[in-house]
Amino acid sequence: MRKAIIAGNWKMNNTIAETKALVTELIPLVKDAQCDVVICTPYTDLATAVEMTRGTNIKVGAENVHWAEKGAFTGEISAKMLVELGVEYVIIGHSERRQYFAETDATVNARAKAALAAGLKPIVCVGETLEEREAGKVKEVLVRQTKGAFEGIDKEELDNIVIAYEPVWAIGTGKTATAEVANDTIAIIRNTMAELYCPKCAENRVRIQYGGSMNPKNVKELMAMPQIDGGLIGGASLKAVDFSQVVNY
Ligand code: PGA
């Protein structure tokens, strides 16, 4: 019932020239994908990516968005600016932003609301650190992050939001959560959504991706788990062949 969605997170990689090469190679490789396919790129690559993927099955996302409509926020980009470019998705609350750029549950919530209000689809990231996992705090952290992110967001919006569960210790480390651990942890998030909205909404309308060293080798096993509705792919999204193998799992 929940359609899988696989999104690339390019992070701070790819110039416009590199974007042209990567997207040109990617388009034919993913054209028959059964899942929704998204590439999230740096701001400077968005216009190129949107232009090149027009009429294909690839959607384009940004990697962050500011919560204000406009104003004195030097260096920031608003949701309206992204929509005007033809961007459809936006990653919000990635652990790198939480770690290096003072992102909090409250700012994640503000960004998600602004994105939705402008018609963007947020990919909201949650996930525990290694210390939190070792201290037995996985549930506490994920419930807090999920409730914080969705504070005041209407049930009607659930079809327009994707959650990405990314254990911080699995990002860019080559360490994947086992399929079982990923599945069981995502169940905690889904149960939290059931509590916040309704069990049926959580079951039928909330798509939850796994992210963290997902690649062509482990994608099948992860995607076979009932709770996992897709992936947020960092490193493996930078090579067209690797990303296409994940998308065509
Ligand atoms: P990774 O990154 O696939 O390189 O681990 C995932 C992410 O940070 O979204």
Side-chain angles (χ1 to χ4, degrees):
M1 194 171 273
R2 304 185 303 260
K3 188 175 183 195
I5 174 165
I6 294 193
N9 173 13
W10 288 7
K11 310 193 178 184
M12 196 171 74
N13 292 292
N14 292 330
T15 61
I16 291 176
E18 288 164 341
T19 298
K20 285 182 180 161
L22 177 51
V23 175
T24 302
E25 199 185 343
L26 189 62
I27 290 171
L29 293 175
V30 301
K31 69 175 184 358
D32 299 318
Q34 301 299 302
C35 61
D36 288 338
V37 182
V38 184
I39 51 173
C40 298
T41 83
Y43 290 132
T44 48
D45 296 327
L46 289 171
T48 307
V50 167
E51 180 64 30
M52 292 183 72
T53 55
R54 196 164 284 141
T56 75
N57 60 330
I58 302 174
K59 310 285 189 206
V60 176
E63 299 176 13
N64 190 26
V65 64
H66 198 263
W67 54 80
E69 271 183 44
K70 59 178 174 179
F73 299 99
T74 304
E76 295 297 317
I77 300 284
S78 76
K80 193 173 163 189
M81 293 169 184
L82 295 174
V83 169
E84 188 186 38
L85 275 183
V87 169
E88 286 184 45
Y89 288 84
V90 60
I91 298 173
I92 294 175
H94 190 277
S95 64
E96 286 149 19
R97 297 217 61 89
R98 293 180 191 257
Q99 189 180 348
Y100 307 130
F101 302 100
E103 190 81 73
T104 65
D105 295 334
T107 57
V108 167
N109 179 243
R111 290 183 210 279
K113 282 179 176 159
L116 288 166
L120 288 172
K121 298 185 171 83
I123 299 175
V124 174
C125 301
V126 296
E128 81 287 358
T129 62
L130 186 59
E131 300 79 74
E132 288 164 342
R133 178 161 283 272
E134 284 173 347
K137 290 188 174 156
V138 174
K139 185 170 176 188
E140 179 188 323
V141 169
L142 292 177
V143 168
R144 191 202 73 223
Q145 290 181 345
T146 306
K147 287 189 171 168
F150 283 84
E151 172 89 44
I153 291 179
D154 227 66
K155 195 192 278 188
E156 275 59 55
E157 298 283 15
L158 289 182
D159 302 308
N160 301 322
I161 306 183
V162 175
I163 299 174
Y165 165 60
E166 299 205 308
V168 178
W169 45 272
I171 295 177
T173 57
K175 253 194 215 173
T176 331
T178 63
E180 286 75 22
V181 166
N183 189 69
D184 294 352
T185 315
I186 288 176
I188 297 173
I189 301 167
R190 200 176 300 284
N191 287 338
T192 307
M193 292 300 282
E195 202 186 299
L196 280 177
Y197 295 95
C198 75
K200 246 200 177 137
C201 317
E203 190 54 36
N204 298 336
R205 294 170 52 201
V206 177
R207 295 194 288 180
I208 309 181
Q209 300 171 316
Y210 168 77
S213 299
M214 197 161 171
N215 60 44
K217 288 207 180 79
N218 57 32
V219 61
K220 254 202 173 65
E221 196 189 352
L222 287 159
M223 289 304 293
M225 302 311 275
Q227 292 287 345
I228 301 180
D229 303 325
L232 186 55
I233 319 298
S237 73
L238 298 175
K239 290 200 179 117
V241 171
D242 288 2
F243 188 57
S244 72
Q245 286 175 355
V246 174
V247 162
N248 300 317
Y249 62 93

